[in-house]
Amino acid sequence: MFAPNGSVRAPYARVEKWLENLGNEVIERALRESEARFRRQGITFAVYGDDKASERLIPFDIVPRIFSASEWRRLSAGIEQRVRAMNAFLHDLYHRQEILRAGRIPYDVIIQNEAFVPEMVGVNPVKGIYAHIMGIDIVRVNENEFYVLEDNCRTPSGVSYMLEDREAMMFLFPELFAQQRVAPVENYPAMLRKTLDSVAPPTTRNEPTVVVLTPGIHNSAFFEHAFLADEMGVELCEGDDLFVSDGWLYMRTTQKPRRVDVVYRRIDDAYLDPLAFRPDSNLGVPGIFDVYRAGHVTLVNAPGTGVADDKSIYTFMPDIIRFYTGDKPLLNNVPTWRCSHAGDLSYVLEHLSELVVKEVHGSGGYGMLVGPTSSKAEIELFREKIKTRPTNYIAQPTLALSAVPTFTQSGIAARHVDLRPFVLSGDQIRITTGGLTRVALKEGSLVVNSSQGGGTKDTWVLED
Amino acid sequence: MLGRTASSLYWMSRYVERAENMARLLEVGYRISLMPGAIEGHRDEWRSTLTSAACEQSYTEKHGDIDGAKVIHFLLFDESNSSSVKSCLKTARNNGRAVRTALTRDVWESLNSTWNELAQIAPENITSDRLPEFLEWVKQRAMGFRGALLGTMLRTDNYYFSQLGNFIERADNTARILDVKYFILLPRPSDVGSDLDTQQWAQVLRSVSAHRAYRWFYKDSHYKPWLVSEFLILKEEMPRSLLFTYNWVNLALDGLGELYGSRYACHEIAMETHDRLKNGNMEQIFQNGLHEFLQDFMAANNSLSQSIATTYNFP
């Protein structure tokens, strides 16, 4: 919120005044109301390995994160460029593999990657799109510079929090929205529906039948699955509700079976089809992959997209963007060391206390080391892990992440945030005007993941 | 609509109804336990409560001897007992959660806040003196749920499947209470017409919240087994009678028949059961045996439930 010289940045001017006049009592009441609201509506997520609190609320902070229209335009252009390159890259990987032939990425990085699905080679998804739904994690390091922290193109979650946070803010502080024009985010479900409809297979008769496929009520993001299905007006299915017959996909209804054209699946590749992938999966639909390959159904995202958001690929993203768009990347990567490189590895091992080390295939903030906030013992433990399997790790500098005002136990204080805008690719690219801002609630912490005690904020893009 | 959605709606409503019925049964058990022990036969009231709730066997396996406090805990909070109030509300809520998209916000929030409030209640705080207040809460929450359902759900298949679960459960409950009380509590012919007799019938009525309604309806303050049975079986004015529940079951099935344009075996089973009640008379029922009549009814009710599940592709 503050510029380096300590002044309040322009987009925050009004909110800063509002905050000044807001008593702690009002804030506490608002927090109580919002918590009761989330609880009553069942807006919860599950934490794995925690039986007692199997459903928790994600802490919601009442101070919005704000971008000006021009900042957002710049960011959007960079995101769009990245997403286009990502889809071109995936299409290439599963077809001619030009980028590998050109020697820009080593074969091994792709072929030995667990997220690469050889069964997808030669398959032609509708409109050539693999990653229809992406969440790009972005951090701001100074006035004009944003870094992409991570690309999420498997099944990025959190969009329901973006929408519910906005609802909560409008409910608690309607006066704020009267004072300035905040770009809407509530059109996301309609945008998603349009995107899904636009990638229905050519065999679709009449209106496409779209479903959301969920692993079930025990999944951590079940609320979001139900929420999106509801908002889009489509059925929420579990694997058992779908079946394959004569090369087509159907759902079991109270009447005749109904043909399904597009599946927005929130199930990982490995569990999608026990006949094609993990045979012990009872979450998926036997035979669905064959139906997909025959072009009779669209899977969103396509199987095998995970290879593009892998952290070992991440380091190649600038090259990937240049290779497919011919342009300079508009959004930068965080400088990254690959522990698979001998030179990088020795640097990382020498500087562990300054670095953030992540597992190449990890997600959700599990299994990572944040050097500056870790004890000596923790660092030594991690050192051994890295030495045992260097290819499994990458390292990044701890960034001077932007901090925004957040309500804490000791009043309003600065806390680090990141941002996840959601990007849809179909007949066109659609980006949410805003996104999910995640905030590290612990003082000094850089870890924003909800599974690790992070919270969320409403994100505003001010209109000109 | 997905078969699974229909199934979840059906069971959601069944379990809320069952939680409410459990609360009523416990209310009766509690009342009797407060009465002076002078009236013989009442010491068995907790056993009878367990039997009416179809939980006697599972209780005995777990606890052995009948003990008031243990029975109350078993029927309210024991999650190993699938019919305890807590299990019922949990199952209802899980079913509702799975089909969140098929519910209105009001219905879902009613279910969800009931569960959240229940999760805050420590079983050890529900001591004997606070039991009535808690049971009242359970009933109020169940009625609030039904109110939200009746007041906000579109009259389409979502609504019909919920209604089927609700009334098939209620029919089973009323039949079972009548059967248990009649068959177990009145084994000796010499008791018939005694004070004990009157007390027992009062409790039967109470467990379906009908003791006052009975007096209004029959303009008679003396409970007669004949009339009590008639009231609970054949009188469609009485909202927990078998005929009343089958009127609603048929309305829901007719709704589905019209919406989907087909009628199936389940429609016939329901209509047959309904007609038997509609054209029934107590004289004949008693002549052939009330117990046999009720057993037949429960079997038919159960086969209706199964037929609905098969017809509409419940998983």
Side-chain angles (χ1 to χ4, degrees), chain B residues 100-125:
Chain B
R100 174 68 190 80
T101 55
L103 304 178
T104 60
R105 195 166 195 138
D106 291 314
V107 172
W108 163 246
E109 288 188 5
S110 159
L111 261 184
N112 193 40
S113 53
T114 299
W115 173 249
N116 288 338
E117 283 175 38
L118 183 65
Q120 301 299 315
I121 294 172
E124 58 271 22
N125 289 342

mmCIF file of all heavy atoms in Angstrom, chain B residues 100-125:
data_model
loop_
_atom_site.group_PDB
_atom_site.id
_atom_site.type_symbol
_atom_site.label_atom_id
_atom_site.label_comp_id
_atom_site.label_asym_id
_atom_site.label_seq_id
_atom_site.Cartn_x
_atom_site.Cartn_y
_atom_site.Cartn_z
ATOM 1 N N ARG B 100 -25.790 -29.637 -2.386
ATOM 2 C CA ARG B 100 -25.936 -28.222 -2.061
ATOM 3 C C ARG B 100 -26.595 -27.463 -3.212
ATOM 4 O O ARG B 100 -27.405 -26.568 -2.999
ATOM 5 C CB ARG B 100 -24.531 -27.676 -1.768
ATOM 6 C CG ARG B 100 -24.388 -26.206 -1.549
ATOM 7 C CD ARG B 100 -25.060 -25.776 -0.260
ATOM 8 N NE ARG B 100 -25.123 -24.320 -0.166
ATOM 9 C CZ ARG B 100 -26.023 -23.581 -0.771
ATOM 10 N NH1 ARG B 100 -26.948 -24.141 -1.524
ATOM 11 N NH2 ARG B 100 -26.023 -22.276 -0.642
ATOM 12 N N THR B 101 -26.253 -27.868 -4.442
ATOM 13 C CA THR B 101 -26.767 -27.150 -5.609
ATOM 14 C C THR B 101 -28.268 -27.360 -5.806
ATOM 15 O O THR B 101 -28.913 -26.593 -6.488
ATOM 16 C CB THR B 101 -26.075 -27.637 -6.891
ATOM 17 O OG1 THR B 101 -26.236 -29.036 -6.969
ATOM 18 C CG2 THR B 101 -24.607 -27.306 -6.875
ATOM 19 N N ALA B 102 -28.819 -28.409 -5.203
ATOM 20 C CA ALA B 102 -30.237 -28.686 -5.409
ATOM 21 C C ALA B 102 -31.090 -28.049 -4.317
ATOM 22 O O ALA B 102 -32.312 -28.151 -4.337
ATOM 23 C CB ALA B 102 -30.475 -30.200 -5.447
ATOM 24 N N LEU B 103 -30.437 -27.407 -3.351
ATOM 25 C CA LEU B 103 -31.178 -26.817 -2.236
ATOM 26 C C LEU B 103 -31.223 -25.302 -2.357
ATOM 27 O O LEU B 103 -30.324 -24.703 -2.927
ATOM 28 C CB LEU B 103 -30.485 -27.151 -0.908
ATOM 29 C CG LEU B 103 -30.260 -28.624 -0.600
ATOM 30 C CD1 LEU B 103 -29.514 -28.755 0.718
ATOM 31 C CD2 LEU B 103 -31.589 -29.350 -0.538
ATOM 32 N N THR B 104 -32.244 -24.709 -1.779
ATOM 33 C CA THR B 104 -32.222 -23.256 -1.690
ATOM 34 C C THR B 104 -31.270 -22.889 -0.559
ATOM 35 O O THR B 104 -30.941 -23.694 0.304
ATOM 36 C CB THR B 104 -33.605 -22.684 -1.357
ATOM 37 O OG1 THR B 104 -34.019 -23.208 -0.094
ATOM 38 C CG2 THR B 104 -34.620 -23.044 -2.427
ATOM 39 N N ARG B 105 -30.833 -21.657 -0.581
ATOM 40 C CA ARG B 105 -29.920 -21.183 0.449
ATOM 41 C C ARG B 105 -30.548 -21.342 1.838
ATOM 42 O O ARG B 105 -29.895 -21.723 2.797
ATOM 43 C CB ARG B 105 -29.620 -19.713 0.175
ATOM 44 C CG ARG B 105 -28.443 -19.216 0.929
ATOM 45 C CD ARG B 105 -27.993 -17.882 0.352
ATOM 46 N NE ARG B 105 -26.666 -17.596 0.846
ATOM 47 C CZ ARG B 105 -25.686 -17.100 0.112
ATOM 48 N NH1 ARG B 105 -25.879 -16.859 -1.156
ATOM 49 N NH2 ARG B 105 -24.522 -16.851 0.648
ATOM 50 N N ASP B 106 -31.842 -21.071 1.942
ATOM 51 C CA ASP B 106 -32.515 -21.167 3.240
ATOM 52 C C ASP B 106 -32.504 -22.593 3.779
ATOM 53 O O ASP B 106 -32.285 -22.814 4.962
ATOM 54 C CB ASP B 106 -33.963 -20.680 3.125
ATOM 55 C CG ASP B 106 -34.025 -19.178 2.894
ATOM 56 O OD1 ASP B 106 -33.306 -18.459 3.599
ATOM 57 O OD2 ASP B 106 -34.775 -18.739 2.013
ATOM 58 N N VAL B 107 -32.778 -23.538 2.907
ATOM 59 C CA VAL B 107 -32.804 -24.930 3.360
ATOM 60 C C VAL B 107 -31.406 -25.345 3.805
ATOM 61 O O VAL B 107 -31.217 -25.927 4.877
ATOM 62 C CB VAL B 107 -33.304 -25.874 2.233
ATOM 63 C CG1 VAL B 107 -33.143 -27.325 2.632
ATOM 64 C CG2 VAL B 107 -34.756 -25.569 1.899
ATOM 65 N N TRP B 108 -30.423 -25.005 2.987
ATOM 66 C CA TRP B 108 -29.050 -25.395 3.332
ATOM 67 C C TRP B 108 -28.594 -24.724 4.625
ATOM 68 O O TRP B 108 -28.026 -25.359 5.512
ATOM 69 C CB TRP B 108 -28.092 -25.063 2.191
ATOM 70 C CG TRP B 108 -26.669 -25.070 2.629
ATOM 71 C CD1 TRP B 108 -25.831 -24.007 2.685
ATOM 72 C CD2 TRP B 108 -25.928 -26.193 3.131
ATOM 73 N NE1 TRP B 108 -24.608 -24.390 3.172
ATOM 74 C CE2 TRP B 108 -24.645 -25.731 3.463
ATOM 75 C CE3 TRP B 108 -26.230 -27.537 3.339
ATOM 76 C CZ2 TRP B 108 -23.654 -26.550 3.987
ATOM 77 C CZ3 TRP B 108 -25.243 -28.369 3.868
ATOM 78 C CH2 TRP B 108 -23.982 -27.880 4.173
ATOM 79 N N GLU B 109 -28.851 -23.454 4.761
ATOM 80 C CA GLU B 109 -28.377 -22.770 5.956
ATOM 81 C C GLU B 109 -29.076 -23.273 7.209
ATOM 82 O O GLU B 109 -28.493 -23.322 8.290
ATOM 83 C CB GLU B 109 -28.518 -21.248 5.803
ATOM 84 C CG GLU B 109 -27.496 -20.714 4.809
ATOM 85 C CD GLU B 109 -27.433 -19.193 4.739
ATOM 86 O OE1 GLU B 109 -28.111 -18.526 5.534
ATOM 87 O OE2 GLU B 109 -26.693 -18.692 3.877
ATOM 88 N N SER B 110 -30.322 -23.687 7.067
ATOM 89 C CA SER B 110 -31.025 -24.269 8.201
ATOM 90 C C SER B 110 -30.332 -25.558 8.652
ATOM 91 O O SER B 110 -30.043 -25.753 9.831
ATOM 92 C CB SER B 110 -32.487 -24.530 7.808
ATOM 93 O OG SER B 110 -33.049 -25.497 8.650
ATOM 94 N N LEU B 111 -30.035 -26.421 7.682
ATOM 95 C CA LEU B 111 -29.347 -27.683 7.997
ATOM 96 C C LEU B 111 -27.973 -27.425 8.590
ATOM 97 O O LEU B 111 -27.565 -28.027 9.579
ATOM 98 C CB LEU B 111 -29.101 -28.459 6.706
ATOM 99 C CG LEU B 111 -30.001 -29.569 6.276
ATOM 100 C CD1 LEU B 111 -29.426 -30.185 5.013
ATOM 101 C CD2 LEU B 111 -30.172 -30.625 7.343
ATOM 102 N N ASN B 112 -27.255 -26.516 7.938
ATOM 103 C CA ASN B 112 -25.869 -26.282 8.301
ATOM 104 C C ASN B 112 -25.753 -25.626 9.673
ATOM 105 O O ASN B 112 -24.920 -26.009 10.489
ATOM 106 C CB ASN B 112 -25.209 -25.410 7.225
ATOM 107 C CG ASN B 112 -23.708 -25.380 7.361
ATOM 108 O OD1 ASN B 112 -23.104 -26.413 7.652
ATOM 109 N ND2 ASN B 112 -23.105 -24.224 7.187
ATOM 110 N N SER B 113 -26.616 -24.659 9.970
ATOM 111 C CA SER B 113 -26.474 -24.011 11.268
ATOM 112 C C SER B 113 -26.939 -24.951 12.380
ATOM 113 O O SER B 113 -26.426 -24.896 13.486
ATOM 114 C CB SER B 113 -27.173 -22.650 11.310
ATOM 115 O OG SER B 113 -28.492 -22.764 10.906
ATOM 116 N N THR B 114 -27.894 -25.829 12.083
ATOM 117 C CA THR B 114 -28.271 -26.826 13.082
ATOM 118 C C THR B 114 -27.055 -27.671 13.450
ATOM 119 O O THR B 114 -26.755 -27.892 14.621
ATOM 120 C CB THR B 114 -29.371 -27.763 12.522
ATOM 121 O OG1 THR B 114 -30.502 -26.979 12.214
ATOM 122 C CG2 THR B 114 -29.739 -28.831 13.537
ATOM 123 N N TRP B 115 -26.354 -28.103 12.404
ATOM 124 C CA TRP B 115 -25.190 -28.955 12.654
ATOM 125 C C TRP B 115 -24.099 -28.181 13.400
ATOM 126 O O TRP B 115 -23.493 -28.671 14.347
ATOM 127 C CB TRP B 115 -24.661 -29.529 11.346
ATOM 128 C CG TRP B 115 -23.381 -30.267 11.542
ATOM 129 C CD1 TRP B 115 -22.148 -29.900 11.102
ATOM 130 C CD2 TRP B 115 -23.199 -31.493 12.265
ATOM 131 N NE1 TRP B 115 -21.216 -30.816 11.507
ATOM 132 C CE2 TRP B 115 -21.831 -31.802 12.224
ATOM 133 C CE3 TRP B 115 -24.073 -32.343 12.950
ATOM 134 C CZ2 TRP B 115 -21.301 -32.927 12.829
ATOM 135 C CZ3 TRP B 115 -23.544 -33.467 13.560
ATOM 136 C CH2 TRP B 115 -22.187 -33.750 13.499
ATOM 137 N N ASN B 116 -23.863 -26.958 12.986
ATOM 138 C CA ASN B 116 -22.832 -26.155 13.653
ATOM 139 C C ASN B 116 -23.165 -25.917 15.130
ATOM 140 O O ASN B 116 -22.293 -25.979 15.990
ATOM 141 C CB ASN B 116 -22.645 -24.808 12.947
ATOM 142 C CG ASN B 116 -21.960 -24.969 11.604
ATOM 143 O OD1 ASN B 116 -21.272 -25.960 11.370
ATOM 144 N ND2 ASN B 116 -22.163 -24.024 10.707
ATOM 145 N N GLU B 117 -24.441 -25.640 15.409
ATOM 146 C CA GLU B 117 -24.823 -25.421 16.816
ATOM 147 C C GLU B 117 -24.692 -26.711 17.618
ATOM 148 O O GLU B 117 -24.244 -26.702 18.761
ATOM 149 C CB GLU B 117 -26.259 -24.887 16.906
ATOM 150 C CG GLU B 117 -26.355 -23.413 16.546
ATOM 151 C CD GLU B 117 -27.793 -22.901 16.511
ATOM 152 O OE1 GLU B 117 -28.600 -23.322 17.372
ATOM 153 O OE2 GLU B 117 -28.098 -22.089 15.615
ATOM 154 N N LEU B 118 -25.095 -27.807 17.001
ATOM 155 C CA LEU B 118 -24.996 -29.087 17.706
ATOM 156 C C LEU B 118 -23.538 -29.412 18.030
ATOM 157 O O LEU B 118 -23.227 -29.926 19.112
ATOM 158 C CB LEU B 118 -25.609 -30.207 16.849
ATOM 159 C CG LEU B 118 -25.634 -31.596 17.498
ATOM 160 C CD1 LEU B 118 -26.540 -31.592 18.725
ATOM 161 C CD2 LEU B 118 -26.111 -32.653 16.510
ATOM 162 N N ALA B 119 -22.643 -29.073 17.097
ATOM 163 C CA ALA B 119 -21.224 -29.365 17.313
ATOM 164 C C ALA B 119 -20.671 -28.586 18.504
ATOM 165 O O ALA B 119 -19.683 -28.984 19.110
ATOM 166 C CB ALA B 119 -20.428 -29.036 16.044
ATOM 167 N N GLN B 120 -21.332 -27.485 18.848
ATOM 168 C CA GLN B 120 -20.877 -26.679 19.991
ATOM 169 C C GLN B 120 -21.355 -27.247 21.328
ATOM 170 O O GLN B 120 -20.911 -26.817 22.382
ATOM 171 C CB GLN B 120 -21.418 -25.239 19.885
ATOM 172 C CG GLN B 120 -21.010 -24.492 18.624
ATOM 173 C CD GLN B 120 -19.518 -24.346 18.505
ATOM 174 O OE1 GLN B 120 -18.849 -24.013 19.477
ATOM 175 N NE2 GLN B 120 -18.976 -24.636 17.329
ATOM 176 N N ILE B 121 -22.327 -28.155 21.271
ATOM 177 C CA ILE B 121 -22.920 -28.648 22.513
ATOM 178 C C ILE B 121 -22.123 -29.822 23.057
ATOM 179 O O ILE B 121 -21.896 -30.806 22.354
ATOM 180 C CB ILE B 121 -24.387 -29.068 22.270
ATOM 181 C CG1 ILE B 121 -25.206 -27.820 21.909
ATOM 182 C CG2 ILE B 121 -24.970 -29.757 23.500
ATOM 183 C CD1 ILE B 121 -26.611 -28.125 21.462
ATOM 184 N N ALA B 122 -21.669 -29.705 24.302
ATOM 185 C CA ALA B 122 -20.949 -30.814 24.917
ATOM 186 C C ALA B 122 -21.983 -31.753 25.545
ATOM 187 O O ALA B 122 -22.801 -31.309 26.352
ATOM 188 C CB ALA B 122 -20.005 -30.294 25.982
ATOM 189 N N PRO B 123 -21.960 -33.042 25.157
ATOM 190 C CA PRO B 123 -22.960 -33.985 25.673
ATOM 191 C C PRO B 123 -23.053 -33.957 27.200
ATOM 192 O O PRO B 123 -24.149 -34.057 27.748
ATOM 193 C CB PRO B 123 -22.443 -35.335 25.179
ATOM 194 C CG PRO B 123 -21.631 -35.024 23.983
ATOM 195 C CD PRO B 123 -21.045 -33.669 24.203
ATOM 196 N N GLU B 124 -21.900 -33.780 27.877
ATOM 197 C CA GLU B 124 -21.959 -33.842 29.338
ATOM 198 C C GLU B 124 -22.744 -32.665 29.928
ATOM 199 O O GLU B 124 -23.163 -32.704 31.078
ATOM 200 C CB GLU B 124 -20.543 -33.926 29.947
ATOM 201 C CG GLU B 124 -19.614 -32.789 29.591
ATOM 202 C CD GLU B 124 -18.827 -33.054 28.297
ATOM 203 O OE1 GLU B 124 -19.282 -33.881 27.480
ATOM 204 O OE2 GLU B 124 -17.765 -32.419 28.108
ATOM 205 N N ASN B 125 -22.962 -31.624 29.114
ATOM 206 C CA ASN B 125 -23.761 -30.502 29.616
ATOM 207 C C ASN B 125 -25.265 -30.744 29.528
ATOM 208 O O ASN B 125 -26.045 -30.012 30.103
ATOM 209 C CB ASN B 125 -23.435 -29.215 28.830
ATOM 210 C CG ASN B 125 -22.044 -28.711 29.183
ATOM 211 O OD1 ASN B 125 -21.490 -29.101 30.207
ATOM 212 N ND2 ASN B 125 -21.488 -27.876 28.322
#
